[in-house]
Amino acid sequence: MLHGEASKSGRNVRRQETSSRQAQTLGRRASQQNDMSTVSAEHRSASGDAHQHERSASSRDMQSGEDSAAASSLGAWYTSVVSTIESLTVGPPSARDSSSISAGNRDAIDPTASSGDAGSISWMTSAMKQLDELTMEVQAMAWGKPAPTESTSASDVDSNNTGTSLKQQLLDQIRAAQAQLGQRIDETRAALENAVQGMLPEQLQRPWISASAQLCLDLETHPELLQSASVRIGTDICGQEQDFRQQRAERMRKDFAQFIGVAAATVDERDIPIIGVAGSGGGFRAMVSTVGSYRAMYQAGLSQCVMYDAAVSGSSWAVGALHTYGNGDPHKVLGNLRLAMQSSVFSMENLMAFARENCDIAQRVFADMAARYLLSAAETDNAQEDTSAVESQDVAPISRQQGGTSVIGMVFDEILRRGQQVAESVLPEYFLITRSAEPIAATAPATVGDFLQDAKKALQSMSIPPVSVVELYGALLFKQLIVQHTAGEDKQVHLTLDSRWTKLSGQRAAVDRGLQAMPIYTAVRHFIGSNDNSTEQSASDHKYQWFEFSPYEVGSIDHGAWVPSWAFGRPMKNGREQYRVGEVHFGSILGTVASAFCASVDAMATEIYMVVPGALRSAIMDPLLDRYERDTAVSHLIPPYTLFNPFYRTEDMRSTNEHEQEMAELEAAPLLSLMDAGLENNLPFASLLRAERDVDMIICLDSSANIDIMPWFARAERWASDHGVRRWPWGARPWASDPLRQTKIEAEMNSTTLRFTKQAAEQTERHIKDDNVRCVVFDGPVAPSPASARREKAEPPPISVLYLPLMGNREFRNPDFDPQTADFCTTFNHRWTAEQVDLLADLTTFNFNQELEQIRQAVKRAYERKRSYRLYTEQEKGGAW
């Protein structure tokens, strides 16, 4: 903070007198230079017309008139520089002539910054910028070493008699001015921060934030801080998943036999079909409808026979709830939703009330964000130290950002500055940087102070991912959907949060023992085709690459690269961790997998396209979208969730995949950006079609909007063809309508497929819309398979795909209810009444129960086909398994 400016006037006068004496001395010494060729061309030219001076008999030969004029010009420039330095360190003047604070052709600093701390910061940051520019100008000039004369005392120019050059003297003065201003800026910012902190609620003040961050250091919650991680390369499923499948098959044998109506003694575990449930995106509508379907499966005993719970976007929230507080029971989840959904997820008033009334839970929800905030201070300290190191090498220091010119503007700029610090210093969620990976027995920091010291060291050599709105979005979702809400006898809502729910790896407890299906959450990465994956050199073959999150591993389906889920978020290089950080918060995963707002411009335009009248589409939107198809397809207005790329410089990846360009591009990127998989396919077929998982049946719970014009089956078929999946039921199409805005590849594939299946697709659509059918079964090919997926004679039977669309039902208790058109069922509606939750959940439960016998028979056929295939192969091999 600046004060006492008037009392400094005497010192300023003395400084100006000193500057004048230095300028006179400079003129005398410059006139005795042995070689003035080092003077800049600008100063040499300015002295071209100077008059020659008579030689003095009592002195040695003087330089030419040109050099004397140059010396005079240089002296004037020196005076201007010193004056500038003085003016920039005395504080913001009320008015100042621009010529008095400029050097060279620089513009004067705007002195109109308002009073107060914010105005002072604005003026001082502008002064810092001027000093930075001045440093570069002094550095650019070439200086000769002046010769001593009888009339020049060392104290005139160098009071410390250090023998430094004139250039060094100026640089020293500039550095001193920068240090003085830097200290004032820090003091003023601290005062401003304290003032702002005093106006904030307790939950946003430093002590509360520090206490929240301390939870990130709890080894009971984060034992992974003592574990070392590495990258696994390969397409096989990991050993933990293989063990889970064994445990799950053993546990489900009785339940499966009961579901299909046979004696348990007759069921061989090898013949039980691997069933995966595929939940779609669709925001809160998809979440509620998915839970309703799971309730029907739970009541019928089918959920106990499922191996995988795969999800995209909104249905991921339902799966996440089932695998945390729900413990596999959808009734618990629905009870939570009835209470939690009544308040707005994104209301700041509700958020502050939550933090005020549930301090312990709030700190656990936002602990990672608190740690991010504290990391910004460590990053700032590093930046200052880096600047000092740079200056010692005569290199221009990093410029500080110039602020605005009003109190409101300055405060807003200060907020932006803090946000930028977080963006530049954030470690994705988990933050606990401890030591290098090599010492396996390394201990985590015990206090926030230790944590910040470790972070300070680590940040010196780290490329920091930017902070994303996706993380805040995920934390708010976690607060509303994973923190358990229960109504007490006092009719008050009570909240519960188990620390294990904050971590994806915490969902292993029930999965390891085979008590629940393995959850799979999906996301995509946008591969654009250029070396740096930027839009500037985008290629027409841009594509989305599939990533999946399970309690065991996180990785890329397309690249065959994996890291343990507890290590996801750690900076990795050459397949080994560089620093240790805690596991990514489950809230961040929930936000990432449902970040539809990070869609490309083209995808956003498609949403508008679907509600625009046909005439307007063809007249305006089609020409525009066709013209800018490539640019809109690769541009994202809102950046996706970005974190350390665990596969950075993992060169082994290149030899495991035929798409070498994609592999090389991924392993060369230090950061990884992921977003909602619904941008590629709103059903998670990719995870369930992996050959190594050997899935026999996929139950699709489709809660998409505009459900009858979506290309999900066509895109699944294309993915199966590209990856050589032979068991897909080729030609499966629940809808005959052509999807809107198809790509050329999709249009060609649909055209080829529908030549064989058009009539079958039209019949299926009639069954759904006219005959009130709510489950369609595809258990065999309808069209020829592509050459890349030709089946051999002795191969497992085709995958059975059961498709259950979210549609109204004329037999339901409310026959007029249509979830495709009801206002409260829109994708982004985030506030529901208990009655609305029950209405939608009851509908999907009713639809599933209506088709239960058809589903039961389809499961039984899949079992019989798998059993027959096993017996056939055993017979072919002479009875040996």
Side-chain angles (χ1 to χ4, degrees):
M1 196 173 298
L2 301 176
H3 8 228
E5 298 298 339
S7 66
K8 299 178 183 176
S9 59
R11 292 198 300 273
N12 294 340
V13 171
R14 290 194 294 274
R15 288 172 179 168
Q16 294 294 340
E17 292 174 352
T18 301
S19 300
S20 178
R21 290 198 305 272
Q22 290 176 336
Q24 293 173 4
T25 302
L26 174 66
R28 292 195 302 271
R29 297 180 65 172
S31 67
Q32 298 171 3
Q33 293 288 338
N34 294 324
D35 183 7
M36 286 301 294
S37 61
T38 57
V39 179
S40 67
E42 175 184 357
H43 301 142
R44 187 186 300 275
S45 175
S47 64
D49 297 330
H51 296 290
Q52 298 289 333
H53 293 278
E54 295 182 355
R55 299 177 181 273
S56 173
S58 62
S59 64
R60 292 178 295 182
D61 291 343
M62 302 293 292
Q63 294 292 330
S64 65
E66 177 182 355
D67 289 347
S68 297
S72 177
S73 175
L74 185 59
W77 182 85
Y78 182 89
T79 302
S80 175
V81 170
V82 174
S83 177
T84 297
I85 296 173
E86 294 292 336
S87 68
L88 293 177
T89 55
V90 297
S94 58
R96 179 178 291 165
D97 179 65
S98 63
S99 63
S100 69
I101 64 169
S102 63
N105 293 324
R106 280 184 300 277
D107 294 330
I109 298 175
D110 183 3
T112 60
S114 57
S115 61
D117 292 343
S120 298
I121 290 176
S122 172
W123 192 92
M124 289 187 290
T125 52
S126 300
M128 273 292 195
K129 184 177 181 181
Q130 292 282 336
L131 290 172
D132 291 342
E133 294 173 354
L134 190 58
T135 298
M136 290 186 286
E137 183 171 333
V138 173
Q139 290 281 8
M141 292 189 64
W143 299 70
K145 186 174 183 180
T149 67
E150 297 177 359
S151 60
T152 303
S153 66
S155 60
D156 284 334
V157 176
D158 185 0
S159 59
N160 295 321
N161 197 23
T162 60
T164 57
S165 66
L166 294 177
K167 172 183 176 181
Q168 191 61 45
Q169 290 181 55
L170 285 178
L171 291 176
D172 289 344
Q173 291 184 60
I174 292 172
R175 292 191 188 103
Q178 287 176 320
Q180 183 180 355
L181 279 175
Q183 182 178 358
R184 289 181 181 179
I185 289 173
D186 291 340
E187 292 173 352
T188 306
R189 281 176 172 160
L192 179 61
E193 181 175 344
N194 290 336
V196 172
Q197 286 284 338
M199 296 184 290
L200 293 175
E202 177 186 355
Q203 291 73 23
L204 294 181
Q205 295 185 18
R206 186 64 174 253
W208 193 92
I209 293 173
S210 297
S212 300
Q214 183 68 43
L215 296 174
C216 293
L217 310 179
D218 182 12
L219 288 177
E220 185 176 351
T221 302
H222 295 281
E224 69 275 5
L225 288 170
L226 302 180
Q227 295 180 269
S228 181
S230 61
V231 174
R232 181 178 73 86
I233 302 298
T235 58
D236 292 338
I237 59 177
C238 65
Q240 294 97 323
E241 184 175 341
Q242 293 175 12
D243 294 341
F244 150 74
R245 288 164 61 104
Q246 177 78 26
Q247 290 287 333
R248 182 68 171 166
E250 292 175 0
R251 283 191 175 272
M252 72 168 59
R253 185 169 67 88
K254 292 182 179 179
D255 291 325
F256 179 79
Q258 182 176 357
F259 180 75
I260 65 172
V262 299
T266 64
V267 175
D268 189 314
E269 294 169 6
R270 295 172 294 176
D271 301 331
I272 299 176
I274 304 298
I275 301 175
V277 176
S280 81
F284 295 92
R285 176 189 64 249
M287 175 189 63
V288 175
S289 64
T290 299
V291 176
S293 296
Y294 269 95
R295 179 172 60 182
M297 288 190 286
Y298 183 83
Q299 293 169 343
L302 178 57
S303 63
Q304 291 87 322
C305 306
V306 172
M307 187 70 72
Y308 296 107
D309 290 333
V312 167
S313 198
S315 65
S316 300
W317 306 338
V319 172
L322 284 167
H323 285 269
T324 51
Y325 68 86
N327 197 28
D329 186 349
H331 296 90
K332 289 184 180 179
V333 177
L334 285 172
N336 188 72
L337 294 181
R338 293 186 189 102
L339 294 173
M341 296 289 290
Q342 294 184 38
S343 59
S344 173
V345 175
F346 308 116
S347 166
M348 287 303 299
E349 180 180 355
N350 292 340
L351 174 61
M352 295 310 302
F354 163 74
R356 185 171 55 251
E357 299 168 6
N358 305 275
C359 181
D360 177 64
I361 293 177
Q363 287 181 333
R364 280 182 280 167
V365 170
F366 295 101
D368 292 343
M369 289 191 172
R372 290 176 185 271
Y373 173 81
L374 295 180
L375 276 176
S376 67
E379 194 273 340
T380 300
D381 291 342
N382 279 347
Q384 293 174 351
E385 292 176 4
D386 291 345
T387 299
S388 300
V390 167
E391 289 173 350
S392 66
Q393 303 174 18
D394 284 347
V395 179
I398 300 172
S399 297
R400 298 179 184 241
Q401 184 177 359
Q402 183 173 352
T405 58
S406 68
V407 173
I408 295 177
M410 292 312 94
V411 172
F412 186 69
D413 283 354
E414 187 66 10
I415 294 172
L416 289 181
R417 186 189 70 82
R418 283 291 178 185
Q420 185 179 9
Q421 286 183 354
V422 175
E424 292 174 352
S425 65
V426 142
L427 296 178
E429 294 296 336
Y430 345 138
F431 316 83
L432 300 187
I433 302 173
T434 56
R435 308 306 193 262
S436 170
E438 291 305 320
I440 303 300
T443 58
T447 67
V448 172
D450 295 338
F451 156 62
L452 293 178
Q453 285 297 320
D454 288 340
K456 185 177 178 180
K457 295 176 184 178
L459 289 171
Q460 294 176 353
S461 59
M462 294 180 67
S463 176
I464 306 301
V467 71
S468 170
V469 68
V470 175
E471 295 163 85
L472 175 59
Y473 170 63
L476 295 175
L477 289 172
F478 185 90
K479 171 188 76 72
Q480 202 84 349
L481 305 178
I482 303 301
V483 174
Q484 187 175 12
H485 297 60
T486 55
E489 295 180 358
D490 55 359
K491 298 184 179 179
Q492 297 295 316
V493 176
H494 301 278
L495 304 184
T496 305
L497 175 60
D498 188 318
S499 294
R500 291 174 297 179
W501 304 344
T502 65
K503 302 167 59 175
L504 175 59
S505 64
Q507 299 176 22
R508 286 186 54 170
V511 175
D512 280 344
R513 292 178 290 162
L515 297 175
Q516 294 181 33
M518 189 185 91
I520 303 175
Y521 309 91
T522 57
V524 292
R525 176 179 184 266
H526 201 171
F527 171 71
I528 297 175
S530 61
N531 291 333
D532 58 357
N533 210 37
S534 67
T535 58
E536 295 180 1
Q537 297 178 337
S538 57
S540 58
D541 61 346
H542 70 93
K543 61 184 292 188
Y544 289 100
Q545 301 165 336
W546 282 84
F547 282 70
E548 67 178 36
F549 307 76
S550 82
Y552 300 118
E553 284 189 318
V554 176
S556 169
I557 300 173
D558 294 313
H559 299 91
W562 313 91
V563 291
S565 58
W566 49 262
F568 184 59
R570 295 189 181 189
M572 307 284 284
K573 185 177 179 180
N574 297 324
R576 297 189 63 81
E577 63 186 17
Q578 301 300 297
Y579 305 99
R580 294 208 182 150
V581 297
E583 181 177 344
V584 170
H585 195 283
F586 187 50
S588 290
I589 294 177
L590 292 180
T592 300
V593 300
S595 55
F597 50 82
C598 295
S600 65
V601 175
D602 179 69
M604 291 182 176
T606 300
E607 293 294 320
I608 301 173
Y609 189 92
M610 289 188 292
V611 298
V612 168
L616 189 58
R617 290 180 193 167
S618 57
I620 298 179
M621 294 197 69
D622 280 334
L624 284 175
L625 293 176
D626 289 341
R627 180 177 181 180
Y628 300 104
E629 179 179 3
R630 187 184 67 178
D631 293 334
T632 58
V634 299
S635 299
H636 298 263
L637 297 179
I638 300 177
Y641 177 55
T642 301
L643 72 169
F644 290 110
N645 178 12
F647 315 118
Y648 180 47
R649 295 191 178 177
T650 306
E651 297 181 358
D652 293 342
M653 293 169 57
R654 300 188 187 184
S655 61
T656 63
N657 195 297
E658 60 181 355
H659 305 291
E660 186 170 336
Q661 181 191 10
E662 295 182 35
M663 304 301 293
E665 183 276 322
L666 177 62
E667 65 96 9
L671 301 179
L672 178 69
S673 296
L674 299 174
M675 63 197 83
D676 194 321
L679 301 177
E680 168 63 11
N681 195 321
N682 215 32
L683 287 165
F685 284 116
S687 291
L688 299 177
L689 289 178
R690 288 178 58 187
E692 53 273 18
R693 287 211 165 108
D694 202 23
V695 171
D696 300 297
M697 174 175 286
I698 301 175
I699 301 176
C700 300
L701 307 177
D702 192 359
S703 304
S704 303
N706 304 290
I707 197 167
D708 58 345
I709 56 174
M710 292 293 104
W712 313 140
F713 274 70
R715 291 185 181 180
E717 192 163 279
R718 185 187 68 191
W719 195 91
S721 176
D722 291 344
H723 291 78
V725 178
R726 294 188 173 95
R727 300 179 62 197
W728 175 258
W730 304 102
R733 295 290 190 280
W735 310 104
S737 303
D738 290 333
L740 292 178
R741 301 291 306 165
Q742 299 179 86
T743 65
K744 292 180 180 179
I745 296 177
E746 289 172 347
E748 292 173 0
M749 178 169 284
N750 269 334
S751 176
T752 301
T753 301
L754 289 177
R755 282 203 303 268
F756 300 95
T757 65
K758 184 72 172 179
Q759 185 175 358
E762 290 175 346
Q763 183 178 1
T764 300
E765 184 169 341
R766 283 196 300 270
H767 283 321
I768 296 174
K769 292 183 175 180
D770 299 337
D771 300 337
N772 207 43
V773 171
R774 293 296 173 263
C775 177
V776 178
V777 179
F778 302 98
D779 54 7
V782 183
S785 61
S788 61
R790 298 293 186 198
R791 290 177 56 79
E792 302 294 336
K793 290 183 178 180
E795 284 194 350
I799 297 172
S800 297
V801 177
L802 280 60
Y803 180 71
L804 288 83
L806 177 57
M807 304 279 289
N809 193 315
R810 57 175 175 257
E811 304 297 330
F812 182 54
R813 60 180 171 85
N814 187 343
D816 296 327
F817 172 52
D818 184 356
Q820 292 290 319
T821 60
D823 290 340
F824 73 88
C825 288
T826 57
T827 299
F828 296 105
N829 175 41
H830 53 86
R831 187 169 185 172
W832 294 48
T833 66
E835 292 74 21
Q836 290 170 339
V837 170
D838 282 335
L839 182 61
L840 181 57
D842 289 351
L843 172 65
T844 52
T845 299
F846 183 88
N847 285 347
F848 199 99
N849 286 333
Q850 173 182 292
E851 307 294 339
L852 180 58
E853 287 310 310
Q854 182 184 189
I855 295 169
R856 193 190 311 275
Q857 293 305 313
V859 172
K860 189 173 183 179
R861 285 198 303 274
Y863 160 73
E864 292 171 344
R865 290 195 301 177
K866 188 172 185 178
R867 180 173 181 273
S868 297
Y869 174 73
R870 177 181 64 82
L871 295 175
Y872 168 78
T873 55
E874 287 179 351
Q875 183 179 4
E876 288 293 307
K877 294 177 182 179
W881 173 245

